[in-house]
Amino acid sequence: MTGATPLLTRLQAQIALSGPISIADYMAICLLDPDHGYYTTRQPFGASGDFVTAPEVSQLFGEIIGAWLIHTWHVIGEPSPFVLVEFGPGRGTLMKDILRTARVSPGFNDAVHPVLIEASERLRGVQAQTLGGDASRVTWHDGLDDLPDMPTLMVSNEFFDALPFRQFVKSGTRWLERTIGIAPDGGLRFQTGINIADRTWLPPDVDADAEPDGAVLEVSLAREAVAADMARHICARGGAALHIDYGHDTTGFGDTFQAVRNNQYADLLAAPGQADLTSHVDFQALANAASAAGAKVSPVMAQGAFLLGCGLLERAGALGRGQAKAQQARIEADVQRLAGDGKDDMGGLFKVLCFAAPARPPLPPFGSN
Ligand code: SAH
């Protein structure tokens, strides 16, 4: 066991008092505890932080998302005014790049009310700093409930993966919840506990009974509830949503719980509050939730295909034109990282979910459903 963090001490006391906790509870405490949580107290992003996200790789990412939003705004009838809301904005880089891109479209730029939904007070400050002059146009909210009643475009990058999920392990005919308890040496450890008698937890589209012993199923009611809320919001007011994250496009089995610190995988339980905790997003579950809430959901695309379909290469070419060779090589490497299929690239692992109010026309580059 490495040096005790304040959260470790607190979790040990809590578990000793009231028993093992779910991965979802562990994650919620580690990420968002007001005094010692990861997002509330640390500086996670960038090369000097714990991990690098797509908007931090290159401005190209936010510019392409911005271009998609402008196009979509035209397709849905140029509502004015409208809300553009980003969930979990991190350093605020994506919104900064979107708003800069928006200046090419005066209609969009005049009509937009930018909103950031962010749980961490500290990160709200960082976002305001990143946005600079644009910060005065932005309002911060805790959730969707109190947003202005207007048509709404939504966007997020690596937001859903940070929402809590639970794991269940197959044991004979039962699915036991994987929980976190206390090891004999006093540290935290995984254990399997309670059987889930309620089989509505099991996803409808997969044959859970056919899985071998030890199979791991990840379920996130939090993520599904948020996707459903977003969809209801858009169906009531008009608009569309674009959510990007890493994960799989169909529900599957496997343990994807991960901790990242200093750009490396870290122990999940050793230093609660000091590493980022995420798991792969089940896009089929999100799509089902949005669809059940009434939205029209497009077929999920890989990030690479989405960015290329939106003109990433053309934009990269324009950005590199007349630049020094080294700068052009950097842009090429960024394009590869964002859209490529290599092991360290984001193009294949990351997926894009788009849904919209039901009566809308097709939203390129998504195929129709
Ligand atoms: N979108 C950013 C950051 C991703 S990290 C990027 O791509 O760089 C996840 C972000 O979601 C952080 O800003 C974190 O504070 C925020 N977050 C996590 N849980 C949240 C919740 N329940 N409500 C609102 N924001 C949350």
Side-chain angles (χ1 to χ4, degrees):
M1 214 173 73
T2 48
T5 67
L7 274 189
L8 179 58
T9 311
R10 170 128 63 84
L11 286 164
Q12 285 163 325
Q14 179 181 334
I15 293 168
L17 196 68
S18 47
I21 59 173
S22 69
I23 288 176
D25 287 344
Y26 177 73
M27 202 168 164
I29 294 168
C30 290
L31 293 182
L32 290 175
D33 179 81
D35 300 318
H36 306 292
Y38 180 72
Y39 287 121
T40 34
T41 60
R42 297 176 71 90
Q43 177 57 51
F45 313 104
S48 61
D50 289 319
F51 57 93
V52 179
T53 58
E56 307 296 336
V57 168
S58 164
Q59 70 187 70
L60 285 167
F61 184 77
E63 289 172 355
I64 295 291
I65 304 287
W68 185 87
L69 289 166
I70 293 168
H71 182 74
T72 297
W73 178 74
H74 287 299
V75 171
I76 65 170
E78 306 183 1
S80 177
F82 75 98
V83 170
L84 169 63
V85 54
E86 183 186 353
F87 297 80
R91 292 183 59 221
T93 307
L94 175 58
M95 185 56 93
K96 182 188 78 175
D97 290 337
I98 290 171
L99 292 179
R100 190 184 60 253
T101 307
R103 298 210 165 88
V104 305
S105 170
F108 180 99
N109 198 44
D110 289 345
V112 65
H113 284 247
V115 166
L116 297 178
I117 291 185
E118 172 57 64
S120 159
E121 209 45 60
R122 196 185 58 79
L123 284 176
R124 288 184 182 199
V126 173
Q127 289 151 17
Q129 226 164 15
T130 302
L131 285 163
D134 278 329
S136 57
R137 308 169 66 190
V138 170
T139 51
W140 278 263
H141 289 256
D142 294 329
L144 285 173
D145 287 348
D146 54 349
L147 288 199
D149 189 10
M150 299 172 188
T152 304
L153 292 178
M154 298 181 177
V155 66
S156 74
N157 185 63
E158 293 207 39
F159 167 68
F160 280 100
D161 64 32
L163 299 181
F165 71 102
R166 294 165 77 170
Q167 279 189 342
F168 299 96
V169 183
K170 178 103 186 264
S171 168
T173 57
R174 305 182 308 161
W175 287 87
L176 303 180
E177 178 150 19
R178 197 164 173 228
T179 57
I180 293 162
I182 306 226
D185 73 354
L188 301 179
R189 71 162 176 201
F190 288 109
Q191 51 192 65
T192 41
I194 318 139
N195 180 28
I196 39 159
D198 179 1
R199 293 179 71 88
T200 57
W201 276 93
L202 299 175
D205 304 326
V206 296
D207 184 3
D209 291 331
E211 289 303 304
D213 256 21
V216 174
L217 172 67
E218 297 182 334
V219 178
S220 176
L221 295 189
R223 293 175 192 168
E224 291 169 34
V226 169
D229 252 9
M230 292 167 165
R232 270 190 295 272
H233 191 93
I234 282 176
C235 289
R237 293 168 182 78
L242 188 77
H243 299 293
I244 302 170
D245 222 310
Y246 53 93
H248 31 275
D249 42 23
T250 51
T251 301
F253 294 87
D255 175 5
T256 72
F257 191 18
Q258 66 181 39
V260 171
R261 193 174 176 183
N262 298 328
N263 285 294
Q264 287 181 335
Y265 291 113
D267 190 290
L268 287 159
L269 304 178
Q274 298 189 358
D276 187 38
L277 299 177
T278 61
S279 72
H280 287 203
V281 171
D282 177 352
F283 278 84
Q284 187 175 358
L286 297 189
N288 287 347
S291 172
K296 186 165 168 187
V297 182
S298 301
V300 171
M301 284 183 88
Q303 173 169 307
F306 170 79
L307 292 175
L308 294 170
C310 288
L312 177 68
L313 295 181
E314 293 76 3
R315 178 65 203 131
L319 191 63
R321 203 160 298 133
Q323 302 281 343
K325 280 266 173 309
Q327 177 62 9
Q328 289 175 342
R330 247 194 312 273
I331 293 170
E332 226 169 277
D334 291 345
V335 167
Q336 176 65 28
R337 181 91 192 274
L338 290 173
D341 249 338
K343 177 173 82 48
D344 295 324
D345 299 332
M346 297 172 167
L349 176 60
F350 281 72
K351 309 286 186 307
V352 190
L353 173 70
C354 170
F355 54 84
R360 56 93 174 151
L363 299 175
F366 295 93
S368 55
N369 50 347

